[in-house]
Amino acid sequence: MNVVVDPSKEQVNEEVPNDSLTLGQLKKIVKQFPNKQRPKEIGFVYTDNDSLSNEIDEFYSYVEISQCCENKKAFEDGFDESWTTCTISERRTYIEYLLETLELKDPDKRFLTAKKLLYIAQGTFGESTSSEHHLELIIENNKLLRKCGALLSYFQALKLACCAHDHYSRPDIISDRQAYIDDTNTEIGFYLTLLYMLVEVHRGDESFGSELVELDPPMSVFLFEIIASLREKEKNVKGYPVKKLLLLLWKVILVSLGGSNDIQKLKNVVRLINGLAPIHNKEFLIKTTPIDYHTFQTEVTQKYPTYIPPPCPVIPMPLITTNQFSSNSNVNSNDTSTQNSSSNNNNTNNNISSKSRKQQFQTNQRQPFIFPFSKSTPTVPKSIQEAGDLYLKFMYTSLGTFQCWKEKEEMKKQQFGCIINDEIFYSEINKSNYGKEMSIGNNDTEAQVTKRDRDKLDRIELLYRSILPHLQNIVIVLLKLLLATVSTNSNNVKVNDNGDNIAKENVTNNAGSSSDSNANSSGNSVEEIDVMRHREITSKAVSAILLLILKHLKLSHILKFEYVSQLLVDSNCLLLILKMFGLQDVSLTIKAKNEVDDLNFFRYCTNINNDKHESGKKCDNNLSNKYLNNPNDIKTKLQMEHVDESNLNDNNDVIVDSDYCWRNFFSAINFLRILQKLTKKKTHRILLLVQYKSSAILKRILKVSHPLLELYALKVLKNQIPFIGRKWRQSNMKIITSIYLHCRPDLRDEWIVSSDTDAEIEDALPQEQNLRALIKFYNERNYMTHDYQNGFLYHDNSRNSPDIFPPHHTKPLNHVNSAYIADDIMLDESFLSNWEQWLQDEVYSFSVTKPHLNTVDEYYNDDGSLALSVAGDGSEWDTPITPPIDEQDPFTSVEWDNLTSTDIETFERRFKTNGFKLSYDDDMERKMETVTLDDDKDTIYCWPDEVVGPFASSEVKIWQPTPYQSDAED
Amino acid sequence: MANVIPSNEANNTFSSSESSTSSPIASTSAEHKPALRRNRPGTKLEDTYQFPHIPLDQIDSAFALQEYLQSLIRTDKENLDALVELPPGQDKETWQYEHLRQLCLELNYLVVQLEAECTRQTCPEMKADEWQYLCAAHPAPMNCCAIDYIVHTLDGATTLLNSHKYFPSRISIPETSLKHYQSIARRLYRIFAHAWFHHREIFEAFENENMLYVRFLKLSERYELIAKNLLIIPYNNISDNENDDQVIHNNDSSEIFTPPTDDSE
């Protein structure tokens, strides 16, 4: 017989027949094979972020690393002593002085200060002795900076710079625009760097997270808004430090909202708040969901109509309407009318008797024999009952299901008209905190849910509420940036001074080129390495941001998560991610080493110090220039992974490969997770994946031997198995085996059985549509206010901070940065000289109780003529215009001469249908409350209860006074 | 120059203790009732605050610390050390808070004086010597003229000190709100600076009357609210009354770095 040597199994056939190899020979042969069965497992540990020093390294790009020297010089010019020898109070004094200078008007001074501050924040590396010491100094300095209140100053300065950028981006400012914008971009870059160092040093610090959230607006919201604004066409985004912005946003989210561990802990808290049992022992959870249970019930009761399923906890199941006799309907037409649900038992008896005698003895193939109804014997086979009990035992109501169900109930209520769509009612509800809104649990939960937890949940809520109107833009910008990282390098990339760039929109799709550039192991100039590195870091940041946002929002409410998922899917995120994986072979990217060690931040600073010590001269730009000019001197380490020396250990140890690229690994796993989150249990989207032939791409990913990466790739594959066709399944049994081995199964897991896929596919689109309707309902109900007067929904964001200054009603007239705009608002001469008198006449002399124009009668004499002799065109302040004569006008058809009571009623009716409102008060006097037609949107009222007159022209604008205005000269 | 004494009537009507039996006659009664420390309606300005200064423990009111501080100022406004000194048993933070609050109240009078002279024409930008500031009290920093800047800043500081979010209670101050003290002090300092550099007479008249600036200096020094190198008003030119041998603030720091005037590029 043949000895089948399967190199993937290393099983040696014990029985060696004579004409075959001996055992020893066999072993030798196997040794020679490339060692595939025990590939080196890559020692990548998936955490929220990389080590502090790596993250700081990655923040700086190579082109701008020489900035460090400038910072050092600027600082040493202004500060004579050695920083490390100063006392804390001396340092504080200097820092506070610098922070004060950040608020100056002169941008040059601000630049200089920013550089000095940067040097401090970067750890005054001129005085560090080693990299570790450097890191310590960084931590020390930034902690001191925080104590001095640097966060507020940085944030202030950043807001200023962003406003300036907005201003300069406007199309009407032409002269020298690019120079200004470049300067502003540099300044923004400085502040982002300062903030990043501050945030990174305080990673995991909860009080710092609170500080970030207490800013106005909260830092994460502010950064998201910047991202959203990048989409506006007016914004000139060339040269904007996007990478820094993204990295900062990522870290800010981590600190202020929390990382994976925090999310885990909060999950149970939220479950408690919603009255669900907390999760224990996550690994051993084999679960069933209420939906599974429902499916089970439906199926079983078709066969065993006597089965009364025990009720589902938490979510009540709708009663199963059994068409149990539908198969018998052709037998006996009397039965089709019986369609009740609850009285299963009773029917059984009756229908048997009504069957014709002959068929009584014919067993129906489809239905099992129905036990005769009797109290002593169980009505249903034990196995069925056991199955039902098992379902209940492992029932896990996920938070998402529960929330969805609740929301669906609300939606149904609204459809049936049970919800009052009252603005005030809802504003009261929405004002309450998250915890109060959703606390269904009993008193125990109050004790267990700490204030901190509720604070965290509030933060997520606040974030969502604030960025909701911008989410569309944010998603699009993020995905665009992601796209830019995979587009081709040569044509469209321009590296400017800042080292950050955004590739323009015209992206060509050269599929293989970017993966080729990874394969080159030599000859890459520093520029290209820098660009590749830049892209890797950007995609890392985007992947992290997306994943964190999805996770946090899911924690808060499933429909928030669903909304963002919907936006992502609609913007083609699935395809983009697949494309990314398709264009860059994952097994290559995780080995890519786009690093020039000497230009990395810490090494660079050490080199500066060493240079200074050795040669005694001050550092200059030569260090980086050297590399830029002589590519052969570069100590780059671009390698491909070759399956090289693989020692066969006899005791089957897994060899850990520690030569990998952390950030690429991290991005890859993140993207897979995002993919999984977007498509899990959503047939419609899974079908999209199948359509895009994602299985090929995912198979490639599986080549990398890392358990976590494999797991997520397998999960995504598992979703697709039912729809992917038998042929594929037949030829990819290995993958199916892996899925079986690695993915945790549910109790009712049908991915292999592939029953009824057609029905599922049919269901897919309605499922998706229902979901979208639900999301829309959720958003509208909770976050939009209905502007009844004007008939549209708008996002009400004004309840964020009651303590802002200046208060809303006193906003100054100039909304723009008046340093850049020459003219003020022109006010009328006569008005200016008499404004006090005007106030007296128009404002203070009104009494609230008696509006000066309240009845129709005042306008008209009894004989129908106008009582007031007016110009009729509304040119004077308190004169009405004559009503327009047209068909719709309710007044024209009234014969004012002979008014009868019916006429009045008709008039009233017509009046109302034209959009005016009438109300009656106690003495039956009719007043006009709302005086404008519905389509009159432009009127601004200062005092809403003031009646201005029923025929006021729509151009009446009431000037909103500011509390203080210095004597304006114009 | 009008006599500008901070008459904190508005505060006092709320802050005085309310005794359940309201005696028709005030403190001159011979009964041993706790004297109502209140300005009755209709009191003339000269007759206000006729109640004596009592030690802190004896003040029985929800706003004891504020009342104590105010009466301390009334009795002995020149004794800066006593004014700034932390009363026994009190928190440093709350005491600073009360001082800053009082500062905001009293600064309003300076602003009123300044309004007469400082207009958009005379001071179109907020400057103090060479330093030029942007108004931070708006959502986006704006280039307000001096008097606008002053008013906005003062209002902003007042709002911040009164806000429930940052200072929910007057008895204890949350840790996270302490960092605002420095920024408040720094911004209020600029009001003094502008007045000194550009409206000297008003400043001096006001200062002679109230000694607010030296008190502020003392407070800042005592509790390290403002870095010394930011005190751009030269010290030796300040009020003649104050003759304590203080270290001259400005020149200390010149060893370490150079002030902005020399830095201008």
Side-chain angles (χ1 to χ4, degrees), chain A residues 221-248:
Chain A
V221 172
F222 179 67
L223 294 173
F224 267 122
E225 284 175 1
I226 298 183
I227 291 187
S229 73
L230 286 178
R231 190 174 174 217
E232 289 163 28
K233 293 207 185 79
E234 300 163 345
K235 276 281 244 185
N236 186 341
V237 291
K238 192 159 157 250
Y240 198 94
V242 189
K243 174 182 107 173
K244 296 197 166 92
L245 179 65
L246 289 172
L247 283 170
L248 181 63

Side-chain angles (χ1 to χ4, degrees), chain A residues 33-258:
Chain A
F33 286 156
N35 187 8
K36 277 190 198 155
Q37 79 271 23
R38 278 191 317 239
K40 290 191 198 173
E41 186 176 296
I42 305 191
F44 169 73
V45 178
Y46 178 72
T47 52
D48 281 330
N49 45 18
D50 206 348
S51 66
L52 183 58
S53 47
N54 281 352
E55 292 284 350
I56 295 182
D57 264 341
E58 287 183 354
F59 190 74
Y60 300 98
S61 69
Y62 293 154
V63 200
E64 56 171 20
I65 195 78
S66 50
Q67 180 78 37
C68 296
C69 276
E70 279 180 41
N71 299 342
K72 182 162 184 276
K73 186 165 180 311
F75 180 81
E76 284 173 355
D77 282 343
F79 192 85
D80 288 338
E81 301 189 354
S82 151
W83 184 260
T84 39
T85 58
C86 283
T87 65
I88 297 273
S89 57
E90 284 170 352
R91 296 187 202 179
R92 276 191 75 136
T93 317
Y94 189 60
I95 288 179
E96 284 176 17
Y97 161 69
L98 286 180
L99 291 177
E100 175 87 354
T101 1
L102 268 185
E103 291 186 36
L104 289 184
K105 199 175 133 195
D106 184 2
D108 288 334
K109 293 209 179 103
R110 288 205 302 267
F111 260 61
L112 191 59
T113 314
K115 288 186 188 167
K116 297 182 189 175
L117 276 170
L118 266 173
Y119 182 68
I120 299 178
Q122 285 167 350
T124 53
F125 50 83
E127 304 169 24
S128 72
T129 50
S130 67
S131 286
E132 291 79 22
H133 185 222
H134 187 185
L135 193 57
E136 280 173 23
L137 279 178
I138 291 182
I139 297 180
E140 196 185 310
N141 285 349
N142 277 298
K143 290 210 164 138
L144 183 59
L145 278 167
R146 177 196 171 186
K147 284 213 188 82
C148 297
L151 180 61
L152 285 173
S153 309
Y154 292 164
F155 193 52
Q156 196 89 28
L158 182 62
K159 277 201 265 192
L160 166 67
C162 288
C163 279
H165 192 274
D166 282 339
H167 174 81
Y168 284 129
S169 302
R170 284 174 21 188
D172 44 330
I173 306 220
I174 308 173
S175 61
D176 239 359
R177 197 162 83 140
Q178 197 51 44
Y180 282 132
I181 291 191
D182 285 341
D183 280 343
T184 320
N185 282 336
T186 322
E187 204 179 339
I188 294 182
F190 282 157
Y191 300 138
L192 290 175
T193 316
L194 284 169
L195 279 167
Y196 189 77
M197 301 300 281
L198 196 63
V199 171
E200 264 303 78
V201 164
H202 291 96
R203 47 157 77 167
D205 186 345
E206 294 226 359
S207 60
F208 188 71
S210 316
E211 271 184 54
L212 283 175
V213 175
E214 281 170 10
L215 292 171
D216 170 37
M219 176 77 93
S220 36
V221 172
F222 179 67
L223 294 173
F224 267 122
E225 284 175 1
I226 298 183
I227 291 187
S229 73
L230 286 178
R231 190 174 174 217
E232 289 163 28
K233 293 207 185 79
E234 300 163 345
K235 276 281 244 185
N236 186 341
V237 291
K238 192 159 157 250
Y240 198 94
V242 189
K243 174 182 107 173
K244 296 197 166 92
L245 179 65
L246 289 172
L247 283 170
L248 181 63
L249 176 59
W250 171 30
K251 295 310 164 74
V252 163
I253 295 178
L254 265 183
V255 166
S256 55
L257 292 181

Side-chain angles (χ1 to χ4, degrees), chain A residues 54 69 135 204 308 312 322 324 340 489 585 693 856 929 955:
Chain A
N54 281 352
C69 276
L135 193 57
I308 306 174
C312 180
T322 52
Q324 68 260 41
N340 60 0
N489 29 18
D585 194 357
K693 304 256 188 308
V856 184
E929 280 193 20
E955 267 79 51

Side-chain angles (χ1 to χ4, degrees), chain B residues 84-188:
Chain B
V84 166
E85 192 55 45
L86 182 66
Q90 296 299 321
D91 283 333
K92 218 165 70 161
E93 292 81 35
T94 19
W95 185 237
Q96 287 174 61
Y97 175 79
E98 291 300 334
H99 260 284
L100 284 175
R101 216 159 170 274
Q102 187 64 24
L103 180 71
C104 285
L105 287 169
E106 297 192 34
L107 257 179
N108 279 302
Y109 294 96
L110 176 61
V111 174
V112 167
Q113 300 300 314
L114 279 177
E115 274 186 3
E117 205 181 276
C118 183
T119 63
R120 188 173 277 191
Q121 286 90 346
T122 62
C123 307
E125 289 163 333
M126 179 61 183
K127 278 180 72 156
D129 202 14
E130 299 290 321
W131 299 65
Q132 214 176 17
Y133 302 100
L134 280 169
C135 184
H138 309 275
M142 277 184 60
N143 194 31
C144 296
C145 73
I147 192 67
D148 277 346
Y149 180 95
I150 291 175
V151 168
H152 294 165
T153 310
L154 190 53
D155 283 346
T158 316
T159 314
L160 182 59
L161 286 173
N162 283 335
S163 89
H164 284 292
K165 193 165 134 191
Y166 294 104
F167 298 97
S169 141
R170 294 180 70 154
I171 308 176
S172 73
I173 314 286
E175 182 79 32
T176 52
S177 309
L178 292 182
K179 60 180 186 284
H180 290 288
Y181 285 176
Q182 273 109 351
S183 64
I184 292 177
R186 274 207 317 260
R187 298 222 169 90
L188 295 180

Side-chain angles (χ1 to χ4, degrees), chain A residues 272-275 439-449 454:
Chain A
L272 262 165
I273 293 179
N274 281 306
S439 55
I440 304 174
N442 47 14
N443 285 337
D444 287 346
T445 66
E446 295 300 316
Q448 293 178 37
V449 177
R454 282 195 205 272

Side-chain angles (χ1 to χ4, degrees), chain B residues 13-265:
Chain B
T13 47
F14 292 117
S15 57
S16 297
S17 49
E18 296 168 321
S19 55
S20 45
T21 62
S22 52
S23 58
I25 317 268
S27 48
T28 52
S29 98
E31 302 160 320
H32 281 292
K33 285 208 176 101
L36 274 182
R37 301 167 62 79
R38 176 187 287 186
N39 296 320
R40 320 275 322 170
T43 321
K44 293 209 170 82
L45 184 60
E46 306 85 70
D47 302 331
T48 49
Y49 299 105
Q50 294 306 313
F51 31 90
H53 175 67
I54 56 178
L56 179 56
D57 350 15
Q58 289 182 19
I59 302 183
D60 176 27
S61 132
F63 304 97
L65 210 52
Q66 173 179 325
E67 285 189 39
Y68 174 68
L69 174 61
Q70 284 174 356
S71 84
L72 202 58
I73 294 173
R74 274 195 300 274
T75 51
D76 191 8
K77 61 185 174 208
E78 298 191 11
N79 187 356
L80 301 179
D81 285 325
L83 284 179
V84 166
E85 192 55 45
L86 182 66
Q90 296 299 321
D91 283 333
K92 218 165 70 161
E93 292 81 35
T94 19
W95 185 237
Q96 287 174 61
Y97 175 79
E98 291 300 334
H99 260 284
L100 284 175
R101 216 159 170 274
Q102 187 64 24
L103 180 71
C104 285
L105 287 169
E106 297 192 34
L107 257 179
N108 279 302
Y109 294 96
L110 176 61
V111 174
V112 167
Q113 300 300 314
L114 279 177
E115 274 186 3
E117 205 181 276
C118 183
T119 63
R120 188 173 277 191
Q121 286 90 346
T122 62
C123 307
E125 289 163 333
M126 179 61 183
K127 278 180 72 156
D129 202 14
E130 299 290 321
W131 299 65
Q132 214 176 17
Y133 302 100
L134 280 169
C135 184
H138 309 275
M142 277 184 60
N143 194 31
C144 296
C145 73
I147 192 67
D148 277 346
Y149 180 95
I150 291 175
V151 168
H152 294 165
T153 310
L154 190 53
D155 283 346
T158 316
T159 314
L160 182 59
L161 286 173
N162 283 335
S163 89
H164 284 292
K165 193 165 134 191
Y166 294 104
F167 298 97
S169 141
R170 294 180 70 154
I171 308 176
S172 73
I173 314 286
E175 182 79 32
T176 52
S177 309
L178 292 182
K179 60 180 186 284
H180 290 288
Y181 285 176
Q182 273 109 351
S183 64
I184 292 177
R186 274 207 317 260
R187 298 222 169 90
L188 295 180
Y189 185 84
R190 295 173 199 169
I191 301 180
F192 285 115
H194 176 77
W196 193 86
F197 281 104
H198 300 274
H199 306 281
R200 186 69 60 93
E201 306 86 34
I202 299 182
F203 179 87
E204 288 189 345
F206 181 77
E207 183 62 19
N208 285 337
E209 198 57 52
N210 297 11
M211 292 197 243
L212 186 61
Y213 177 66
V214 286
R215 186 179 351 136
F216 180 45
L217 272 189
K218 199 71 184 214
L219 186 76
S220 308
E221 184 202 2
R222 175 84 165 73
Y223 297 105
E224 291 173 354
L225 293 175
I226 304 186
K228 297 205 179 67
N229 41 42
L230 294 175
L231 302 170
I232 51 184
I233 301 179
Y235 183 71
N236 23 12
N237 291 358
I238 296 304
S239 54
D240 320 314
N241 322 4
E242 211 35 63
N243 265 332
D244 301 34
D245 39 352
Q246 298 291 323
V247 184
I248 296 188
H249 303 278
N250 254 11
N251 305 332
D252 249 357
S253 35
S254 56
E255 316 156 355
I256 302 183
F257 71 99
T258 49
T261 45
D262 301 350
D263 237 2
S264 47
E265 267 114 36

